[in-house]
Each structure stands twice: as C-alpha cells, then as structure tokens.
Amino acid sequence: MQVIENLKVKEKVYIEKLENGLKIMVIPKENMQKKYIIWGTNFGSIDNTFILPGEKEATKIPDGVAHFLEHKMFEQRNGTNSLDTLSNIGVDANAYTTNDHTAYLYEATDNFYEALDEFMDYVQNPYYTDENVEKEKGIIGQEIKMYDDNGEWEAYRNALKNMYENHPIAIKIEGDIDSISKIDKETLYKCYNNFYNPSNMTMVICGDFKPEEIVNEIKKRLIPKEKIGEIQRIYPKIEKGVNKKETQVQMEVSNPLFVIAFKDPIYSEEEKLVELEQNKVKRHIAIEIILYMLLGRSSNLYKTLYEQGILLNQPDLSYEFSKHYGYIMISGQSKDPKKISEGLKNEIQKLKEDGINEETFSRIKKKIYGDYVTEYNNIEEIAMMFLADSFKGINSLDYIEEYNFVTVEYAKQVLDEIFSTDNMTISIVNPKK
Amino acid sequence: MGYNFYDIKEGIKLHVIETNKFKTNLLAIFLTTPLCKENITKNALIPLVLKRGTQNLKTQEEISKKLEGMYGASFDCGVDKTGDNQILKFYLESLNNNYLPEKEDLLLESINTLLEILFNPLKEDEGFKQNYVESEKNNLKDIIEGKKDNKARYAQERCIEEMYKNKPYGLYKLGNVEDLDKIDNKNLYERYQELIKKCKIDIFVSGEVDNKTIESFKENEYIKKLEGRKPEYNINTIETEKKEETKENEIKEKMDVEQAKIVIGLDIFQENIEDKYTALVYNAILGGTPTSKMFQNVREKESLAYTIGSGYIRQKANILIKGGIDVQNYEKALKIIKEQLEDMKNGNFDEDDIASAKKYIISTIKFIPDEQDTEITYYFGQEISGYNMNYKEYIERIENITKEQIVQLAARIKVNTIYLLSK
C-alpha cells in the first residue's frame, strides 16, 4: 500500500490499487465519530458517445443516462430498495452525478460494516425492469422542473452553452423531459456493464479506520468481475474562443443573476496537454490567486463595485476542469452585471500592464493556504475532494505542497494565457418586467 | 475535551468547546433579542453596517486585508430567527496555531478582531458612519426582495407568515423594506447601543483552547466595558406555545414557476416536555427520512415529487410538510399527504418504522461534534431553551419514546395552513 503524508496539514492518505483495477484511498481520522465512504465511477454526463470494448461502431446515448442510472441503482431484485434498507439501520445514504463522474456514498457510526454489506451489494448488482425505469421518469421529471426554476442554475448553464457549442459539457446532467423519455433498461444495462467495471472506479474512505483492515473488508465484499478493455470515449474537439459573447434571458428573480466565464484555451492545443499534466495543480492555484487579486474582497474592483451598489457580496470565484476542458466562472447577483464585466476587463488590462504586486500576491497566497488546510475539517468534504481530484489524475494533498511553488512570474504567464476577451463570455438572468 | 461555560457578567456567557478534531478554531458571538416589529429591520441592518468598518480598521478593504494576512481567516455574519427571538450572529474561523507554517498566536488575534468588529464600530457625529448606513440600507432592501429567488424557501416563509399573522414569529427575520426610509445613522446607532446593553450575549469558542483563551476574552477591553444586564429575550416553552383550535386555512398564490411548491403547516398541541421528543420521532416517521410515509407514498409509489419531506420546528411546536409537484397534481398530492396524517393517528406504522426513525435521529445527534458550527448551534439551542442536556441524555430521551406516545401525540396534531405557490 502506498502512503502519502503531508506534514503541514498532518494528514496521510493510503492508496491501494487492486488487481481488478479498483483504486482505494483511505484517509484515517482517528478522532471523528463519523465514518464515510464514497464509491465513484468515471462516468458522467459528458460521456455520451463511446466505442465499447469489442465493438467497432460508436454508441450514442440520450442526455441524462448517467444520472438516470444513479437513480436506479438502489432497486434490488428482491423488491427492496437499498436506500430504505440503509435508512432502516439509521444510515444516511445518497448519490450524485457530475459532468465526469457518478458517486454513491453513506455516512455511519457504529453500524458501518453492516451498511457496507448492503452498499457494496447494490452498487455491484443492478436491477432494471421496464416498469421501474418508467416509474422513475416521473420523479426525475420533477427534479428537472425544480432546476428549471433555479435562476443560478440557468445562468450557469447558459454560460456553458456560450463557451461550448457542440461539447457535451453544455448538456444538462439530468437531461430533459424529452431525452429521458428515450431511456430504457437496455441502455442502462449496457452503460452499467461497461462503466461500472472496477477498473473504471475509485473508492475513498474517511474516518476512524485502520487502512489494511478496511481494504480487506472491501475485498471480501467485491464480486469477481473480468477486467474489460478500454472504453474509447469520443469528445468533440474544443474550439478556440467562445461560441457566444453574451446571453440574456428572463426569469422570476429579484435582481439579475450573472455568470462571467473564461474558457481555458489550453484545451484546444493538443501539443500543450502533456505539459499541462505536470502543471495542473500549480495552474489551478495560480488561477485562484489571480481571481482573488482581480475581484476578491480586498481588491480595488470589488471596493469600487461595492461602493456603487453593484455588488453586495464577493461573487463566487472558481476554476472547474477535467482532463478535457477547463473554465473559470465568476458568479453572483447584481443590479448591473455588465458593469462588472467592463470593470473586470479594465482590471485585467491594468494587471497585465502594471504587473503583479508582490505584497498582494504573498498575502493572497497565505489566504489560499488557509483555505486548503481548512478543507480537512470535514469528513464528507475530504472524501468528495479526493474522489473528484482522483478522476482528474490529482492527489488532493498536492495543493498544500504546490502552493509554495507558484511564483509571480508563473502567475503572470497564466494571466496572459487565459484572461483575454476572446475567451470571455457573460450570461445574465434578468428579472421579468 | 468537552464543553464548559462561564458567566463573564450577568447576561454575558462564554461557552468553551475544547476539541482537537479540527484544523481551525471557530469563534461565534450571538446577540439574542425579542422579535418585535419596531426593531426588526434595524436589528437586521446592524451586522451589515458593523462589517463595513471599525475605528481601527476603517474600511471593508482593511478588514479583508487583515483577514487574508491571517491565513484566510473568514468572517461571517447573519440574522436568524429562533423561537420568538431575533439572533444576530457573528463568526470568525481561523487556522489552529498547530497548522501555521510559522509560529504565531492566530487565536488571540482572531478574538480581538471579532470583538473589534462587534464593539468598536466606526462613528461619525454621534452615529454610525453615514454613507455606510445609507449603502447598507440599499443592500438590505435587495436582500429582502431577494427572498423570492429561492422558491422553496419563499413558499415556506409565506406559510409561516400566514400561520403567525400579526404575531412576532410571523415577521420576516430580516425585517421589511418599508421601515428602511425611517432609519438613519443616528437612530440606528441608538438602537445598536440599546441592543448591546440589553440583549443576551453568548460567546462561543471551539477548538484547541486553554485557560489563556478564556482570559483573553475576560481581559478584552470591549468586554470589560460591557455592563452586566438582565438580558431581554424570550424562552419558548410548552406554556407559551399553547395552540388554539383554528379552521384549516388554504392559501393559493401565483408566481411564474415551472414547479408548484406545496407547504403544509401543522400545529402540535403539546402538553409536556416529553412531547417534544415524541414530535421528533413522529416527524421522522412522517417525512424525515427516505423510509418516511411522505417519501414512500408521494415520491416512490406515485412519482408525484422529487422533493417531499417534513421538518419539526421545536421552539414553536410546528411541523412543516414541504414538496415540489406539478400543479395539476395538487389535489391528488394533498389527498395522499392527508392520508398519511390519518395513518399516523390510527397507528398505521410499526415498531420497525419507529426503530428506524430513532436510529436516524440518534445518528444525527452522534454526528454533532464532528462539525464545529453544528456543535455550537446545538449548545446555543440548549442555552436559549433554558436547559442543559448532553448528547447521552438526549439520545436516551429519544430511545425511550413508545408507539403509544406517538399515536397519542398524532391525535393532537392539526393542519393549520395549506399553502400553494404555482403558475
């Protein structure tokens, strides 16, 4: 078992790769009551076209299959529902689907192993019938409608559409009423049998565990499955620049909601992707530092916009990326989002011309160090972070090491590369008149 | 390790939670004052103005720079309503000294910074700084109007407003837009002074603390200046929450939404303290878990909803049932929901349902010490309810609830208001 220790945050991660290809990570937390496990497969909403092992033709599936499959995993052949079974022993289980992965999880105290039996049983044994697939369409239909009333979600989705014209990153994770009507049990089984192979999955366990012991308990409960060949995922090429500079729609909201986004151009340049593999953590940190310098609470732009009543709060600042795409999002609520994007353009220009102030840079670095360490407070967040990072090929602890190596020069290079008006787009949800 | 409290002065209490589970120390200060129409908007405005600047850190920018330099210490404030009280909450979270790259006493600095923000505001001619107050009045207006942005929460607020018409608990925690015109920097400052003189003050510190930490609070100049007081606040008890028989009130409102929101407010006619624990178990069986009656019948059997469940409001002896549905299914959903309430009265649930509800509640209790803010909220909840119960006793109380008690209570639960928000 591989052990990685970080002395700054005083945490260790134990990593074991099993013969069947399953990756297990254990982060022991001796003094916590809560025990947490999350089991993810590298199958998300962007995986909608692929060539399966042994096949020649590409398979194209309807929007929302990964999410639909997640909903349907809990049903068991004997008529029980694993969510109920776990709930009956006082265990809170859940699942979620993202762009690039699907995850199943639960938290427990004393009855962890009893729950593990059920958990590993239902994730390894799908049971889909025409009837239970049909029934779920009504429930997911309501989930879709719930998101349709969410202005923030709408602004986010439109920003993605502005950046990516033909890429599945822009489709809704849950699909729409029309696309889910096309989903049947055959599609679900086909996806399950390929994407839920252990070689495509990762498990993260966090809590008061002895690594060897928990890994053995997991091995005991694994059903033997043949390793399958590689699934060839087909994604469209990411075009340079954005597809649309601006989108405005109207909804039932009090003040406009906005997302200002920058599409990371590096994903359009295949020759740079190898180097990116080495630098992705450092690059992520540099982008965060720049974002705080531009529009963080201590920035000039934030001060100006706040005093003008244009911003009430610091917008959310984030960089999302996978192996295939990356984008920056600045999102919030404002009376006049266009003023924010104008201000941002000027501030970027100024920062490029005047250079990065050393004092500000090192202060923001201190802040970021604190933010990263604080992420190790909460067991769920730790487990979810290690899982999501693992699918990007990252060990989460690297952030605490690498932050020290981000220099002003490197940040300047990243600033010039990404923060340009060619890569920028704005999506606004206006109040209805 | 463990929880202790100290009376610094009458009405000012320091709560210390010693724990080594976290990378951070969390400080929280809660100012508790009765919900009242006259002061509610002013009170809600106070935290917004305080975070703008102090006599030593005059602008938000200065405060932010200071916090960033303290390894990203994070300050947060907000307003809540708990029972018939309005609570002004202030938090500061910063790294535990053990995780700093260089040796520093960040905890002491955090304590002093938080107290500075609360008790040493920037002033201008006998009032708060005028332009801070004016700009925060506009901000508060936007925040209050933003209430409708989250449709589920909005529907819930509206249902409570209807249930508590012309009563303190029916007030929106952030006040109302009409009051803002009458507020200026002077009368707001007067209200602030009155508030900190009369309110109940609870200070929490959670993390790796020692006697020095406790001294740091006692020795702080702003704490020294505060006078002891007979704190003005409400304790909600079985007696204060006696319900009256009312006719079922049905309210339908329009908004341009894709999904309709239904909220049903229930009154619980509680007779003794035991009923509060019974109500928790009742609520878990009715709509608190994935095996609950609501989830099983409205969602899993009939596919009418994605979100459906219920929550118990302990201080006010109410349960709110909440769901998102298609508007044409309203009558059907309502019928099924009411059948579940009848089922509860008729005892149509078994020992397994009770056992699973109890286990569910007990694991949430066991998880409390694993989250710093949750643990603070737990002890604060005890504090303003006027009792002091540890986790073990709490769990025992839940374990002892019987089916008979649940059925008896179910007969004393009545629908007060049915609220529907739809297109």
Side-chain angles (χ1 to χ4, degrees), chain A residues 67-186:
Chain A
H67 173 258
F68 204 106
L69 216 162
E70 171 228 303
H71 268 244
K72 287 290 15 131
M73 282 312 295
F74 295 91
E75 239 140 313
Q76 297 270 38
R77 196 171 293 273
N78 62 10
T80 61
N81 183 307
S82 294
L83 201 60
D84 300 351
T85 310
L86 290 169
S87 178
N88 280 334
I89 57 168
V91 168
D92 195 7
N94 214 333
Y96 62 86
T97 309
T98 74
N99 293 316
D100 68 352
H101 68 276
T102 311
Y104 302 85
L105 57 95
Y106 71 86
E107 52 186 28
T109 46
D110 358 291
N111 41 15
F112 182 84
Y113 286 106
E114 193 187 345
L116 190 63
D117 289 336
E118 183 71 21
F119 178 71
M120 290 190 61
D121 184 47
Y122 84 76
V123 178
Q124 295 183 93
N125 292 298
Y127 178 64
Y128 316 130
T129 63
D130 291 328
E131 201 197 347
N132 74 24
V133 169
E134 246 359 88
K135 189 206 81 181
E136 205 65 25
K137 289 180 183 171
I139 298 171
I140 295 177
Q142 286 306 320
E143 188 178 2
I144 291 169
K145 287 193 173 176
M146 180 181 80
Y147 289 121
D148 285 346
D149 282 329
N150 184 324
E152 288 167 33
W153 198 240
E154 185 68 19
Y156 162 76
R157 304 226 351 93
N158 289 337
L160 284 175
K161 282 194 231 161
N162 287 357
M163 287 186 282
Y164 304 96
E165 195 179 3
N166 298 312
H167 198 279
I169 176 75
I171 64 176
K172 289 183 188 173
I173 290 172
E174 64 281 3
D176 53 46
I177 305 281
D178 184 50
S179 75
I180 65 166
S181 75
K182 297 186 189 113
I183 296 173
D184 54 26
K185 70 167 196 273
E186 285 73 26

Side-chain angles (χ1 to χ4, degrees), chain A residues 7-11 29 31-35 67 71 75 81 83-85 87-93 107-111 114 134-143 145-151 252-255 257 292 296-300 302-303 306-307 309 311-313 333 335 360 363-364 366-371 373-374 376-380 403 432, chain B residues 20-24 48 51-52 59-61 64-73 75 93-95 98-102 104 132 135-136 138-143 145-149 151 255-261 289-292 295-296 299-307 324-326 328-329 352-353 355-357 359-360 363 366-367 369-372:
Chain A
L7 296 172
K8 290 197 190 101
V9 72
K10 302 188 173 72
E11 297 288 356
K29 281 282 209 182
N31 46 15
M32 292 284 191
Q33 291 276 326
K34 199 181 275 187
K35 294 184 170 73
H67 173 258
H71 268 244
E75 239 140 313
N81 183 307
L83 201 60
D84 300 351
T85 310
S87 178
N88 280 334
I89 57 168
V91 168
D92 195 7
E107 52 186 28
T109 46
D110 358 291
N111 41 15
E114 193 187 345
E134 246 359 88
K135 189 206 81 181
E136 205 65 25
K137 289 180 183 171
I139 298 171
I140 295 177
Q142 286 306 320
E143 188 178 2
K145 287 193 173 176
M146 180 181 80
Y147 289 121
D148 285 346
D149 282 329
N150 184 324
E252 210 35 93
V253 295
S254 61
N255 266 316
L257 295 159
Y292 283 113
R297 285 198 178 87
S298 65
S299 67
N300 284 327
Y302 180 67
K303 185 183 164 198
Y306 193 98
E307 282 168 2
L311 276 177
L312 302 189
N313 255 315
Q333 193 162 26
K335 284 201 172 72
T360 312
R363 194 182 67 236
I364 302 280
K366 267 183 147 181
K367 171 192 158 47
I368 286 198
Y369 172 79
D371 291 351
V373 175
T374 305
Y376 290 83
N377 262 354
N378 182 304
I379 287 207
E380 283 116 290
Y403 103 102
K432 281 199 168 141
Chain B
N20 61 1
K21 291 182 181 218
F22 307 102
K23 307 293 174 197
T24 50
L48 296 178
K51 76 176 166 64
R52 291 298 299 270
T59 61
Q60 278 199 99
E61 194 188 358
S64 301
K65 282 185 178 165
K66 167 141 186 133
L67 295 171
E68 282 168 1
M70 290 162 68
Y71 295 94
F75 168 79
E93 182 186 61
S94 59
L95 285 192
N98 294 333
Y99 301 98
L100 300 178
E102 287 152 42
E104 278 179 56
Y132 285 179
S135 97
E136 293 308 324
N138 288 328
N139 290 349
L140 184 58
K141 178 170 175 278
D142 285 350
I143 299 169
E145 286 171 350
K147 188 160 79 161
K148 73 167 185 182
D149 292 353
K151 316 301 178 224
M255 197 189 270
D256 192 4
V257 287
E258 282 299 311
Q259 184 181 65
K261 305 288 180 200
T289 73
T291 40
S292 69
F295 196 90
Q296 288 298 324
R299 173 171 157 150
E300 295 297 310
K301 277 211 189 95
E302 300 287 341
S303 300
L304 293 176
Y306 169 70
T307 345
I325 55 170
D326 262 342
Q328 66 265 27
N329 291 331
D352 285 350
D353 294 323
S356 113
K359 279 184 188 158
Y360 195 87
S363 48
K366 285 187 179 164
F367 291 157
D370 281 357
E371 280 177 25
Q372 248 169 333

Side-chain angles (χ1 to χ4, degrees), chain B residues 323-340:
Chain B
I325 55 170
D326 262 342
V327 69
Q328 66 265 27
N329 291 331
Y330 171 62
E331 297 297 336
K332 191 177 175 190
L334 189 57
K335 185 171 163 273
I336 298 170
I337 291 171
K338 286 196 166 172
E339 280 166 12
Q340 308 316 309

Side-chain angles (χ1 to χ4, degrees), chain A residues 155-394:
Chain A
Y156 162 76
R157 304 226 351 93
N158 289 337
L160 284 175
K161 282 194 231 161
N162 287 357
M163 287 186 282
Y164 304 96
E165 195 179 3
N166 298 312
H167 198 279
I169 176 75
I171 64 176
K172 289 183 188 173
I173 290 172
E174 64 281 3
D176 53 46
I177 305 281
D178 184 50
S179 75
I180 65 166
S181 75
K182 297 186 189 113
I183 296 173
D184 54 26
K185 70 167 196 273
E186 285 73 26
T187 318
L188 296 182
Y189 272 119
K190 194 171 185 178
C191 290
Y192 179 86
N193 290 332
N194 288 285
F195 288 102
Y196 283 63
N197 189 276
S199 56
N200 196 42
M201 300 179 87
T202 299
M203 212 183 234
V204 184
I205 300 107
C206 191
D208 187 5
F209 290 104
K210 296 202 170 54
E212 306 280 347
E213 207 175 295
I214 177 70
V215 169
N216 279 332
E217 290 293 336
I218 288 162
K219 279 187 188 160
K220 271 194 235 163
R221 291 166 175 83
L222 278 171
I223 296 173
K225 280 189 187 175
E226 297 268 318
K227 232 182 181 172
I228 56 163
E230 204 187 330
I231 306 165
Q232 232 182 298
R233 302 163 199 243
I234 302 168
Y235 306 110
K237 190 177 170 334
I238 302 249
E239 305 293 336
K240 261 195 172 218
V242 296
N243 164 42
K244 223 172 149 191
K245 287 285 199 196
E246 184 181 321
T247 304
Q248 298 208 33
V249 296
Q250 290 191 351
M251 276 177 82
E252 210 35 93
V253 295
S254 61
N255 266 316
L257 295 159
F258 69 90
V259 172
I260 297 167
F262 292 85
K263 181 174 171 181
D264 190 342
I266 204 163
Y267 292 91
S268 309
E269 298 170 71
E270 280 197 19
E271 67 281 3
K272 287 197 180 163
L273 291 179
V274 181
E275 192 200 322
L276 177 67
E277 264 313 291
Q278 307 302 315
N279 281 332
K280 52 197 169 187
V281 170
K282 225 172 106 180
R283 186 180 165 88
H284 184 185
I285 299 168
I287 292 171
E288 286 198 337
I289 295 175
I290 297 166
L291 282 170
Y292 283 113
M293 291 186 80
L294 288 170
L295 199 50
R297 285 198 178 87
S298 65
S299 67
N300 284 327
L301 181 58
Y302 180 67
K303 185 183 164 198
T304 312
L305 294 170
Y306 193 98
E307 282 168 2
Q308 293 172 352
I310 292 169
L311 276 177
L312 302 189
N313 255 315
Q314 182 200 283
D316 283 335
L317 309 170
S318 72
Y319 177 60
E320 296 295 332
F321 65 107
S322 80
K323 287 180 175 166
H324 313 286
Y325 57 82
Y327 54 83
I328 289 162
M329 279 199 179
I330 298 167
S331 48
Q333 193 162 26
S334 165
K335 284 201 172 72
D336 196 350
K338 288 277 192 73
K339 285 245 169 70
I340 303 171
S341 69
E342 288 314 311
L344 206 52
K345 279 182 198 164
N346 292 334
E347 212 56 35
I348 290 166
Q349 195 52 37
K350 246 174 73 190
L351 197 59
K352 284 180 182 172
E353 283 165 10
D354 303 350
I356 291 171
N357 177 296
E358 293 267 0
E359 192 194 316
T360 312
F361 184 80
S362 61
R363 194 182 67 236
I364 302 280
K365 256 174 89 170
K366 267 183 147 181
K367 171 192 158 47
I368 286 198
Y369 172 79
D371 291 351
Y372 291 155
V373 175
T374 305
E375 281 169 355
Y376 290 83
N377 262 354
N378 182 304
I379 287 207
E380 283 116 290
E381 280 167 30
I382 296 169
M384 276 162 54
M385 170 172 75
F386 273 83
L387 183 74
D389 284 344
S390 162
F391 288 128
K392 296 177 194 164
I394 291 173

Side-chain angles (χ1 to χ4, degrees), chain B residues 91-327:
Chain B
Y91 293 92
L92 203 143
E93 182 186 61
S94 59
L95 285 192
N96 179 314
N97 293 344
N98 294 333
Y99 301 98
L100 300 178
E102 287 152 42
K103 213 172 149 48
E104 278 179 56
D105 192 354
L106 208 50
L107 179 56
L108 180 64
E109 206 177 343
S110 300
I111 293 170
N112 291 336
T113 307
L114 185 60
L115 293 172
E116 162 92 20
I117 295 174
L118 246 86
F119 298 116
N120 195 26
L122 190 59
K123 284 194 297 187
E124 197 173 77
D125 346 299
E126 301 308 302
F128 284 121
K129 192 170 159 64
Q130 196 176 354
N131 69 355
Y132 285 179
V133 173
E134 290 311 312
S135 97
E136 293 308 324
K137 274 163 65 178
N138 288 328
N139 290 349
L140 184 58
K141 178 170 175 278
D142 285 350
I143 299 169
I144 294 170
E145 286 171 350
K147 188 160 79 161
K148 73 167 185 182
D149 292 353
N150 182 324
K151 316 301 178 224
R153 215 179 303 149
Y154 175 79
Q156 213 174 302
E157 288 290 345
R158 282 290 303 120
C159 184
I160 289 174
E161 265 171 41
E162 289 296 327
M163 291 168 79
Y164 288 93
K165 247 188 191 154
N166 304 319
K167 290 184 188 140
Y169 197 69
L171 294 167
Y172 184 49
K173 65 179 183 182
L174 297 175
N176 56 76
V177 173
E178 297 75 54
D179 290 348
L180 288 168
D181 283 342
K182 291 168 273 173
I183 301 176
D184 60 38
N185 67 322
K186 295 212 173 81
N187 63 26
L188 188 67
Y189 188 70
E190 277 164 29
R191 173 61 201 146
Y192 164 75
Q193 284 187 308
E194 190 189 1
L195 178 79
I196 59 169
K197 205 169 155 189
K198 293 182 178 168
C199 74
K200 174 170 171 52
I201 301 181
D202 290 280
I203 303 171
F204 285 85
V205 51
S206 160
E208 294 193 30
V209 291
D210 51 28
N211 287 334
K212 214 179 85 201
T213 318
I214 299 163
E215 287 310 306
S216 316
F217 277 103
K218 288 187 178 162
E219 293 306 314
N220 179 280
E221 54 171 320
Y222 306 119
I223 295 286
K224 278 187 171 167
K225 273 191 214 155
L226 293 172
E227 285 168 26
R229 76 280 315 274
K230 289 238 173 290
E232 285 179 5
Y233 71 107
N234 291 311
I235 300 181
N236 294 85
T237 63
I238 301 294
E239 283 67 41
T240 63
E241 302 312 309
K242 287 253 182 283
K243 304 292 178 193
E244 286 162 26
E245 293 282 346
T246 52
K247 235 183 85 200
E248 224 175 79
N249 185 16
E250 190 181 30
I251 290 170
K252 293 182 177 179
E253 287 184 330
K254 297 283 169 205
M255 197 189 270
D256 192 4
V257 287
E258 282 299 311
Q259 184 181 65
K261 305 288 180 200
I262 181 171
V263 183
I264 301 173
L266 308 177
D267 280 337
I268 312 173
F269 290 68
Q270 293 178 337
E271 288 171 354
N272 51 49
I273 194 96
E274 207 60 30
D275 280 346
K276 291 197 174 209
Y277 302 94
T278 313
L280 258 177
V281 181
Y282 171 96
N283 176 63
I285 300 171
L286 179 72
T289 73
T291 40
S292 69
K293 290 186 167 289
M294 290 298 156
F295 196 90
Q296 288 298 324
N297 292 292
V298 181
R299 173 171 157 150
E300 295 297 310
K301 277 211 189 95
E302 300 287 341
S303 300
L304 293 176
Y306 169 70
T307 345
I308 181 76
S310 66
Y312 172 49
I313 307 173
R314 177 195 310 260
Q315 277 86 2
K316 297 302 292 179
N318 293 115
I319 285 174
L320 288 189
I321 299 168
K322 300 159 270 188
I325 55 170
D326 262 342
V327 69

